[in-house]
Amino acid sequence: MFKLIFIKELKEIIQSSRFTISFAVCSVLIILSFFMGAQNYLASQAQYEAAVQENRKQIAANTEWIMVNHSIMLPPQPLMALVNGISNDIGRNIEMSGRGELRADNTRFNDEPIFAVFRFMDLEFIFGIVLSLFAIIFAYDAINGEKVGGTLKLCFANSVSRASFIGGKLAGSFVGLSIALLIPMLIGCTLLPVLGVQLTSDEWIRLGIILASGLAYFGLFLALAIGISAMTNRPSNSFLIGLVFWIFAVLIVPRASVLISGRMIDVPNVDDITSQKNRYRTQLFEEDRPKMSSFKPEGTDPQNVMQQFSSYMRELSSKRQEKIDAFTERINEDYENKRREQEKLALNLSRVSPASVFTLASTELAGTSLKLQNRFMDSATDYQNVYGNFMQEKTGENQGGGFRMIMITTDDQEEPEYLDPNEMPRFEYKPVSASMATASSMTDLGLLILFNLLFFGGAFAAFLKYDLR
Amino acid sequence: MDDQHNETIKQAPLLEARNLTKVYEDGVKALDNLQLKVHPGEIFAMLGGNGAGKTTTINIFLDFIQPTSGNAFINGVDVNKDPLEAKKNVAFVSENVQLYPNFTAIQNVDFFVRLGGKSNYKRNDYEAALLRVGLQREAFDKKLKDFSKGMRQKCGIAIAILKDAPAILLDEPTSGLDPKAGKEFTRLVGELRDEGKAILMSTHDIFRAKEIADHVGILNAGVLVAQKTYNELKGVNLENLYVEYMAGYMEEATGSLINSLAE
Amino acid sequence: MLSLLIQKELKNILLSPKFAATFLVCSVLILISIFIGINEYENAVRQFEANQQIAQQDIAQASSWGQVRNIAHREPTPMQIFVSGIHFDVGRLSGISSFDDVKLVRSPYSDETLFAIFRVIDFAFIVQIVLSLFAILFTYDAINGERENGTLKLAFANSVSRVNYLFAKFAGIWLGLIIPLLIPILIGLLLLLVFKVPVGADEWMSISGLIGLSVLYVTFFIGIGILVSALTRKSSLSFLLLLVIWIGSVLILPRMGVMAAGQIVPTESIAQLEAKQEAFQKARWDQYSAELSDIWRSREAEMEGMDENERRAYRDDKEWEWLEKDDVLRKKVQSDIIENNRTLMEESRNRKKVQEKLAFNIARLSPVSSFRLAAMNLAGTDIDLKNRYEQSMRIYKDDFTQFVEKKQEEDGGHGGFRISVDSESGVQLDFGRNDQTLDTSDMPRYSAPKTSLQTSIASSIPDFGLLGLFILLAFGGSFIAFLRYDMR
């Protein structure tokens, strides 16, 4: 019996014009978002390569390592283009220095505000907003439509149990629509290598889980719509209720939770913190002034004196830097803790809505969640050590944060030797691995499953009590 | 004809309502201690105006609603206790047969017949049944959304025929059909009766009821106010009888009478 | 006759459960968005003021003008409550110094990434997404629904003209949707007064423009809804078609336009631009030091054959001349670098302008883009926001550096410290003066660029026009479709 209803449901879906139209639209959208994601990735990859090239050219134009201005960039990742997350909102460039605090600048949207006007069309957007709406459109009259149409009575004039009917209905519509969505997804996936976007096996796994969670998210809205239609008598009412739920889940809850957590946990003003650091730095410098003035060189040979002065200043500077580092760490820690607390509260509140659960899961898997910023900064800090050591080796001092003295003697007219940028250690950004991403998105994946169970169960229970007349 | 009827009456009833009472949540009493029996090879016609309780009775037999008290039995099985078992033995044609609009006639019939537990039919069987009910062959593979009411009704009766259940429930099956289609329908119901089905039908249509019913029951406000057999009806002016028992429903009765005449 | 029809239409809307639900949702959404907007704005103002103060203190505590780190901040505008536009995406501040070019950094989103995940919801967003959806919900069965019910036949069994009927339909639905829409908006405006948001006459004008724009936008969707309903026989089909149109025009076309333009006109990233600028800068300084050593060598040559005392005398005599020459050379380097930076920037910006223009023109295929662009223009949170600020900050930077130079000349200081090495007198360190505070009273202050109401209205007029055109098309189309409608 279940099988019969299941198959009928599949057939009915496939033969309806509603399915044909929405399937066409969904397919176009999904394929388009893969296409645009790929193009977007290639474009940012080209920009990235060009910027790296410029940076190397600029290094190669130098004759002294100490003169080098090196900046590192967050390399674009294919999954970043498919699930944007916050990747367009965080700084992508860090001016490297061997010591001191690093700062990332140049967000994509700040660089190219044109993309901020309408934003990108990524998979998260397509699933989170468009497909969830389509799920409601598909299923808002699943039950009450049959009642209004009269087929419900005719079905139940036979010895059909409610359980097998609703079971067949839920399974049939979910399987039918999922398969329909899988087709454009697979086309989209094959499109990536065709367009020249190569994914590692790790990225394929993550993409696979993202798509699977997208389907689960779609299924949850489908079950919800079926559930609502099993609680109402008129399709127009169930659509309206579904729509209101959608508006709240997709548009209101996530934003409201951020707002509420912002209200509940006060995070200190970033600019205030920056200025405190600056002020501390200035203050330390002022304190060192008398020491600097009291510098007494031995001998009078300018070359020698400068060398002495330089090392004297370096020593002062590195002492200052130590203090600054300690100060920065303390003040940052407090700020970061508050901020993390606020984030945690906001995300937990927002998890009431399946839409934000999906957003969190997919961005986590794509490596574009809030953690992206930390990961980039961590990679940069790791690199900072390597870079500092390299500079130490090349120039005899670890620059950054403090005093930098450059001596150019113009007397010897040897042809200057230009630097080889290949000597510079390369910055490696460590993207999330599939296992890490899965581990950290476990909660949200679990919640997605829970929501599914809840809504499928709810639809099931609602139908058991449904008035069939 | 008479002999045949007398014979069948002796068998156990296929459809039976025992002390059926239904009070809705809003306090309206739709059925009051209804008793009725339909034996194999019998047509029981329930007559009555709107709100008399005809559809409520059918809904109880189909387990769409639960009786407040009393029991409905199909082939001896209490519908309320084991609806799935009970419904194996019943087919249903509603007042306005609605099928899946995106399915073709054959697809619809296939689905509903399988749902009725008959899975060994071939397309030939469906075609035969649809031809028997008078559907044009060209319509077999057309989607239902383009069907007229008469065509849908034919599909409905074909489904009931193919399910081959011993009992059939007909809810105002001829309302809104043109006289030709109505007559055709009546003929089909007669044939099914002759095949030994127990048929419970509700109707407004006095003439049609008189034409084929073996028993006529007149319902008024949930009470079976009169019950006559075919033999008892011989020579009786059913309209008078109806009007007599339907004092409160005069207007509607004449209304439907005019309707059926107009058709 | 007409008023009867309009009344019926109004009643039909106002009495439907659909209306109660949508009205409630709209009101909640609009009020929440304005409330959140006011909150965000107040936060931004608080932060802005605090930052001004911090910057002031930082300057006052600097020991010399050369050490002053001046920062110019972008000022929040109350209009961002309604249309946040690119406010959250563009940097909030820029350092102002003679060494670095002006560059807005630290966008609100990059500072508070938490807000970036879900983004803010503003009035324009609600109108754009939710109200258009509701307009469709109210119109998809305007004509074919009545046909299905049979009421269309019944109505036209009387002597009713089709034009009148359709006009009444428009008028009724329009009134039934727009008036309830205005109620929460007006309450929202009251919120502005209650929270004492400083809204000037210009802003009120912009807000009314924005409301007018929203009404036009909703009107378009009413028009398109009736059009599709008059073109189809079944309401289920028109509903689906309209949703497809909605998704296409609201969600897809605008994004596609931008993406397509990005493909057609590639631009370079800031990182690339900066690397180029830096490369030039370095090359220029190298050239300078080469020039300088040549000069010194020629100066040495001039002194060829002089003895120690003659040399000293000659040097003392020429010192000022030489210093000035060197200074001119150095200044030339600086101005060359600035010149080059600006040219590169200009080139990059021009390419971006081309890209933007193309992107927006493609996007304008959808009236939704027109709405959004016009709304952002009215609110002053449009794509030009960044350029406007950077330009005005550049002007300020020039003022400020001039001021600092003047101050430094007055004080005779130069900031930092000076080391002079002389083979005769050895090494001398000069750490400049060390006052505790600087007098900042006559320092030029940065003030935000003001866009006049005229310019913002002028720049949004094409989009208003386009929207009007789309409405005319939709309405005209539905009249034609309905005149030919098969009533059966």
Side-chain angles (χ1 to χ4, degrees):
Chain A
M1 201 54 64
F2 168 82
K3 195 178 145 204
L4 183 66
I5 293 163
F6 176 80
I7 289 166
K8 169 235 135 192
E9 199 59 41
L10 279 183
K11 267 200 217 153
E12 204 196 357
I13 287 171
I14 291 162
Q15 292 183 359
S16 73
S17 57
R18 190 196 306 184
F19 171 78
T20 322
I21 295 178
S22 3
F23 174 63
V25 174
C26 288
S27 305
V28 169
L29 287 182
I30 291 175
I31 294 172
L32 212 61
S33 72
F34 270 98
F35 178 76
M36 286 181 166
Q39 294 297 338
N40 187 5
Y41 167 70
L42 292 174
S44 16
Q45 184 67 27
Q47 276 191 346
Y48 169 76
E49 297 285 353
V52 169
Q53 219 44 53
E54 282 303 334
N55 189 257
R56 287 166 64 84
K57 241 174 42 198
Q58 187 226 311
I59 293 175
N62 281 304
T63 53
E64 299 291 334
W65 281 108
I66 201 158
M67 296 282 285
V68 163
N69 277 338
H70 181 43
S71 62
I72 56 169
M73 272 150 272
L74 176 64
Q77 312 274 316
L79 289 187
M80 247 177 220
L82 290 174
V83 180
N84 295 158
I86 61 161
S87 63
N88 293 317
D89 298 293
I90 60 165
R92 295 172 296 168
N93 304 341
I94 295 177
E95 193 146 325
M96 211 7 101
S97 63
R99 280 193 317 207
E101 204 181 358
L102 299 174
R103 230 205 101 64
D105 270 323
N106 295 345
T107 73
R108 179 99 195 259
F109 280 150
N110 188 32
D111 279 8
E112 302 176 272
I114 183 177
F115 293 114
V117 174
F118 297 114
R119 314 211 170 273
F120 290 103
M121 198 171 82
D122 63 348
L123 278 179
E124 187 226 323
F125 170 80
I126 294 289
F127 272 103
I129 298 196
V130 184
L131 290 191
S132 55
L133 190 60
F134 266 117
I136 292 174
I137 293 170
F138 267 126
Y140 72 94
D141 62 348
I143 304 293
N144 53 19
E146 288 222 27
K147 178 171 175 168
V148 171
T151 44
L152 197 62
K153 258 185 163 176
L154 206 56
C155 285
F156 279 95
N158 300 299
S159 64
V160 175
S161 73
R162 287 175 182 236
S164 59
F165 186 84
I166 185 72
K169 190 123 203 150
L170 284 168
S173 42
F174 179 68
V175 171
L177 296 172
S178 306
I179 289 173
L181 290 178
L182 268 177
I183 297 167
M185 282 182 193
L186 290 178
I187 296 175
C189 286
T190 50
L191 208 59
L192 292 179
V194 170
L195 289 172
V197 181
Q198 301 300 338
L199 269 68
T200 62
S201 56
D202 190 82
E203 284 169 327
W204 279 119
I205 294 172
R206 275 152 61 202
L207 182 60
I209 305 176
I210 290 173
L211 294 179
S213 64
L215 280 184
Y217 175 71
F218 180 79
L220 146 183
F221 267 92
L222 201 68
L224 173 85
I226 294 177
I228 293 173
S229 93
M231 285 186 254
T232 48
N233 285 326
R234 286 175 49 193
S236 59
N237 287 345
S238 55
F239 181 74
L240 212 60
I241 295 172
L243 195 65
V244 170
F245 184 91
W246 179 82
I247 287 173
F248 271 87
V250 174
L251 305 178
I252 311 279
V253 172
R255 290 161 175 89
S257 49
V258 170
L259 190 80
I260 292 169
S261 83
R263 279 255 154 147
M264 286 172 65
I265 296 169
D266 243 354
V267 174
N269 180 351
V270 242
D271 301 283
D272 191 25
I273 286 174
T274 318
S275 134
Q276 276 185 42
K277 290 178 205 160
N278 285 342
R279 236 177 284 169
Y280 186 66
R281 186 190 302 276
T282 323
Q283 186 198 328
L284 286 180
F285 189 78
E286 290 302 324
E287 282 170 12
D288 273 357
R289 249 170 196 282
K291 288 186 204 155
M292 291 178 201
S293 309
S294 65
F295 170 68
K296 287 283 175 290
E298 292 169 14
T300 50
D301 172 38
Q303 199 79 27
N304 190 9
V305 167
M306 284 310 279
Q307 222 109 56
Q308 281 179 45
F309 181 65
S310 172
S311 67
Y312 179 72
M313 288 294 272
R314 212 183 303 145
E315 207 173 302
L316 283 180
S317 150
S318 81
K319 270 187 200 145
R320 277 205 308 278
Q321 189 59 42
E322 268 166 36
K323 284 188 194 162
I324 291 171
D325 284 347
F327 180 79
T328 309
E329 199 171 321
R330 187 159 47 79
I331 195 169
N332 275 2
E333 193 181 87
D334 180 48
Y335 169 70
E336 287 296 331
N337 282 345
K338 280 272 168 54
R339 201 173 125 150
R340 216 156 283 159
E341 216 178 307
Q342 188 190 43
E343 280 173 8
K344 210 167 157 189
L345 178 67
L347 297 188
N348 281 338
L349 282 175
S350 76
R351 285 193 169 102
V352 172
S353 148
S356 36
V357 171
F358 173 69
T359 303
L360 296 177
S362 60
T363 52
E364 197 70 65
L365 286 163
T368 53
S369 65
L370 284 176
K371 294 196 189 102
L372 172 64
Q373 202 174 20
N374 301 337
R375 225 172 12 247
F376 181 39
M377 292 317 281
D378 288 348
S379 286
T381 317
D382 288 350
Y383 177 71
Q384 188 177 31
N385 288 329
V386 177
Y387 176 79
N389 291 339
F390 172 76
M391 281 314 219
Q392 181 82 45
E393 195 186 297
K394 283 286 171 194
T395 65
E397 59 178 283
N398 186 1
Q399 46 153 311
F403 179 73
R404 183 202 242 185
M405 199 160 98
I406 300 163
M407 272 199 297
I408 306 170
T409 42
T410 49
D411 289 338
D412 38 51
Q413 282 299 303
E414 283 170 45
E415 190 56 33
E417 216 174 292
Y418 288 102
L419 299 179
D420 177 11
N422 287 328
E423 281 186 54
M424 176 79 84
R426 289 202 157 228
F427 169 64
E428 297 277 356
Y429 169 69
K430 287 186 241 22
V432 267
S433 68
S435 53
M436 259 157 62
T438 333
S440 54
S441 60
M442 227 15 134
T443 337
D444 290 310
L445 291 177
L447 271 175
L448 266 186
I449 294 170
L450 188 74
F451 270 118
N452 262 303
L453 290 178
L454 204 70
F455 288 163
F456 272 92
F460 202 87
F463 186 70
L464 293 185
K465 291 188 194 137
Y466 194 60
D467 184 354
L468 297 175
R469 283 170 300 153
Chain B
M1 270 277 255
D2 291 359
D3 296 35
Q4 193 193 344
H5 287 145
N6 292 334
E7 222 174 281
T8 51
I9 282 165
K10 285 161 200 137
Q11 297 177 1
L14 264 168
L15 295 167
E16 184 181 1
R18 231 179 263 164
N19 311 324
L20 270 190
T21 300
K22 175 68 189 174
V23 183
Y24 285 112
E25 288 95 48
D26 54 6
V28 172
K29 204 172 209 178
L31 282 182
D32 191 359
N33 212 23
L34 179 80
Q35 313 277 359
L36 67 81
K37 287 180 184 170
V38 191
H39 294 87
E42 251 182 25
I43 295 176
F44 189 107
M46 286 186 288
L47 278 172
N50 294 332
K54 305 186 300 281
T55 304
T56 302
T57 312
I58 288 181
N59 280 341
I60 289 176
F61 270 110
L62 289 171
D63 189 45
F64 292 164
I65 51 179
Q66 278 69 50
T68 311
S69 65
N71 303 84
F73 297 91
I74 299 173
N75 202 15
V77 180
D78 187 336
V79 174
N80 202 17
K81 288 220 178 78
D82 192 352
L84 297 190
E85 186 56 36
K87 284 195 271 188
K88 280 183 182 160
N89 294 312
V90 71
F92 167 65
V93 182
S94 71
E95 173 188 4
N96 186 6
V97 174
Q98 292 286 2
L99 302 167
Y100 293 106
N102 290 314
F103 282 6
T104 64
I106 295 278
Q107 281 176 330
N108 264 303
V109 170
D110 178 58
F111 169 67
F112 282 105
V113 170
R114 281 169 187 275
L115 205 59
K118 295 280 191 285
S119 51
N120 43 7
Y121 284 121
K122 298 265 157 16
R123 189 184 159 97
N124 286 349
D125 302 307
Y126 298 145
E127 288 184 353
L130 286 171
L131 284 174
R132 178 179 172 197
V133 298
L135 194 73
Q136 303 292 316
R137 193 175 271 281
E138 305 88 80
F140 288 0
D141 289 308
K142 277 197 184 137
K143 287 197 175 181
L144 253 284
K145 54 185 171 197
D146 306 320
F147 275 32
S148 71
K149 182 175 176 181
M151 288 159 90
R152 278 185 275 129
Q153 222 65 9
K154 282 172 183 165
C155 291
I157 192 87
I159 290 166
I161 290 170
L162 285 164
K163 185 175 178 182
D164 198 26
I168 300 176
L169 298 169
L170 304 173
D171 191 5
E172 319 252 5
T174 55
S175 75
L177 292 185
D178 62 54
K180 185 166 168 270
K183 200 168 169 63
E184 182 78 357
F185 192 86
T186 319
R187 185 185 59 78
L188 276 168
V189 174
E191 277 178 30
L192 289 173
R193 186 253 323 271
D194 296 342
E195 286 167 17
K197 312 284 185 207
I199 298 169
L200 175 65
M201 64 186 281
S202 75
T203 184
H204 287 301
D205 193 332
I206 301 160
F207 301 117
R208 204 137 277 150
K210 190 178 169 185
E211 201 180 317
I212 58 165
D214 304 289
H215 289 265
V216 172
I218 298 177
L219 274 169
N220 187 8
V223 182
L224 196 61
V225 288
Q227 190 173 346
K228 305 279 176 194
T229 64
Y230 183 82
N231 290 334
E232 287 167 321
L233 283 172
K234 271 185 187 165
V236 175
N237 186 334
L238 191 58
E239 287 124 88
N240 288 344
L241 190 75
Y242 186 56
V243 172
E244 188 183 318
Y245 287 106
M246 293 287 298
Y249 292 92
M250 270 287 277
E251 273 173 51
E252 270 173 71
T254 42
S256 81
L257 206 146
I258 290 163
N259 275 345
S260 49
L261 283 175
E263 281 167 5
Chain C
M1 182 61 69
L2 193 63
S3 77
L4 181 72
L5 285 170
I6 294 178
Q7 274 175 30
K8 170 234 134 196
E9 220 38 73
L10 258 178
K11 259 189 219 154
N12 192 19
I13 285 184
L14 297 181
L15 294 177
S16 68
K18 209 161 41 172
F19 176 78
T22 49
F23 179 62
L24 213 70
V25 171
C26 284
S27 307
V28 169
L29 280 177
I30 290 175
L31 289 177
I32 284 184
S33 82
I34 293 180
F35 181 73
I36 292 180
I38 291 175
N39 250 297
E40 281 295 310
Y41 169 72
E42 282 178 342
N43 275 340
V45 168
R46 253 198 305 278
Q47 200 182 16
F48 174 72
E49 279 166 0
N51 289 341
Q52 297 272 68
Q53 212 143 25
I54 291 168
Q56 201 89 76
Q57 283 170 5
D58 283 354
I59 291 172
Q61 279 180 1
S63 53
S64 76
W65 280 105
Q67 281 190 336
V68 166
R69 295 162 190 266
N70 194 6
I71 296 173
H73 292 268
R74 192 153 61 79
E75 196 182 326
T77 145
M79 286 308 287
Q80 78 195 45
I81 295 171
F82 295 94
V83 190
S84 59
I86 60 165
H87 159 74
F88 289 100
D89 300 297
V90 166
R92 286 183 295 118
L93 52 93
S94 168
I96 301 287
S97 78
S98 53
F99 322 110
D100 298 312
D101 199 12
V102 162
K103 176 180 159 195
L104 284 172
V105 292
R106 318 190 91 173
S107 66
Y109 273 152
S110 72
D111 274 342
E112 295 184 274
T113 39
L114 177 59
F115 287 84
I117 318 182
F118 300 123
R119 316 218 161 267
V120 293
I121 168 171
D122 59 7
F123 174 75
F125 177 86
I126 289 167
V127 173
Q128 186 191 327
I129 306 262
V130 183
L131 291 191
S132 55
L133 196 58
F134 281 151
I136 284 175
L137 219 53
F138 275 95
T139 50
Y140 76 94
D141 61 349
I143 307 292
N144 53 17
E146 292 226 28
R147 186 192 68 84
E148 285 170 334
N149 287 339
T151 44
L152 198 64
K153 266 186 186 171
L154 215 54
F156 279 95
N158 305 299
S159 62
V160 176
S161 84
R162 289 188 181 212
V163 173
N164 263 354
Y165 188 84
L166 195 68
F167 181 74
K169 214 148 197 114
F170 274 133
I173 294 176
W174 195 83
L175 288 173
L177 270 185
I178 298 294
I179 292 173
L181 176 76
L182 290 176
I183 296 171
I185 293 179
L186 291 178
I187 299 175
L189 296 186
L190 271 179
L191 278 182
L192 288 186
L193 297 177
V194 171
F195 283 91
K196 300 203 176 60
V197 179
V199 185
D202 272 10
E203 273 99 2
W204 281 120
M205 288 294 286
S206 295
I207 291 173
S208 7
L210 189 62
I211 294 171
L213 186 73
S214 311
V215 168
L216 277 183
Y217 178 75
V218 175
T219 308
F220 166 74
F221 272 95
I222 294 176
I224 199 91
I226 295 180
L227 172 65
V228 174
S229 169
L231 283 173
T232 47
R233 307 287 295 157
K234 288 177 76 177
S235 57
S236 55
L237 180 65
S238 59
F239 181 56
L240 208 61
L241 284 178
L242 280 166
L243 274 172
V244 171
I245 291 174
W246 180 82
I247 288 174
S249 60
V250 175
L251 305 177
I252 311 299
L253 262 182
R255 286 153 208 260
M256 289 241 314
V258 174
M259 296 290 267
Q263 296 294 313
I264 299 168
V265 187
T267 56
E268 58 186 6
S269 67
I270 301 272
Q272 197 181 345
L273 176 72
E274 280 173 352
K276 272 190 193 165
Q277 289 176 342
E278 240 162 70
F280 178 83
Q281 190 171 340
K282 204 146 270 173
R284 192 67 189 78
W285 280 115
D286 283 352
Q287 190 196 340
Y288 166 74
S289 58
E291 276 171 13
L292 209 59
S293 53
D294 280 351
I295 288 171
W296 277 102
R297 215 165 282 127
S298 70
R299 284 173 189 164
E300 287 288 333
E302 283 171 29
M303 293 186 282
E304 193 79 40
M306 297 184 189
D307 68 18
E308 201 64 14
N309 284 337
E310 279 172 337
R311 277 187 180 225
R312 185 170 299 161
Y314 188 78
R315 222 183 275 163
D316 284 350
D317 182 39
K318 291 273 183 180
E319 189 174 13
W320 263 111
E321 195 190 322
W322 287 354
L323 269 179
E324 250 166 38
K325 267 188 185 162
D326 292 357
D327 204 39
V328 167
L329 217 54
R330 188 180 55 80
K331 283 204 167 127
K332 178 79 174 67
V333 174
Q334 277 176 335
S335 73
D336 276 1
I337 288 170
I338 289 173
E339 180 72 13
N340 178 66
N341 282 356
R342 291 201 175 166
T343 331
L344 283 175
M345 177 94 72
E346 204 63 36
E347 273 171 19
S348 156
R349 238 200 358 242
N350 283 342
R351 204 163 322 127
K352 271 187 189 162
K353 277 250 163 75
V354 173
Q355 190 192 44
E356 279 161 20
K357 212 166 170 184
L358 180 69
F360 291 160
N361 283 340
I362 301 176
R364 280 190 176 104
L365 282 176
S366 154
V368 181
S369 314
S370 290
F371 167 74
R372 189 155 182 82
L373 293 173
M376 290 188 349
N377 275 326
L378 280 174
T381 49
D382 53 311
I383 184 109
D384 257 349
L385 176 71
K386 192 180 162 198
N387 284 342
R388 263 201 313 275
Y389 263 94
E390 287 191 338
Q391 238 147 29
S392 81
M393 282 177 179
R394 248 170 230 134
I395 293 168
Y396 172 67
K397 177 191 148 182
D398 292 346
D399 286 355
F400 178 73
T401 41
Q402 263 174 24
F403 169 78
V404 169
E405 270 169 32
K406 197 182 82 195
K407 275 285 177 188
Q408 281 178 327
E409 260 167 49
E410 276 172 19
D411 294 2
H414 30 66
F417 46 85
R418 173 183 286 182
I419 312 161
S420 31
V421 188
D422 198 299
S423 47
E424 297 298 306
S425 50
V427 180
Q428 278 176 344
L429 295 170
D430 171 14
F431 281 90
R433 52 169 217 115
N434 193 6
D435 287 356
Q436 269 315 296
T437 51
L438 297 175
D439 177 20
T440 58
S441 57
D442 55 347
M443 190 181 96
R445 304 250 178 262
Y446 175 69
S447 62
K450 287 273 174 270
T451 40
S452 72
L453 187 63
Q454 280 103 318
T455 52
S456 68
I457 287 182
S459 54
S460 56
I461 274 184
D463 286 311
F464 267 94
L466 261 178
L467 211 49
L469 186 72
F470 273 113
I471 292 173
L472 278 183
L473 282 178
F475 276 44
S478 43
F479 266 99
I480 294 170
F482 188 62
L483 290 182
R484 295 172 169 186
Y485 199 67
D486 183 354
M487 296 278 177
R488 283 170 300 153

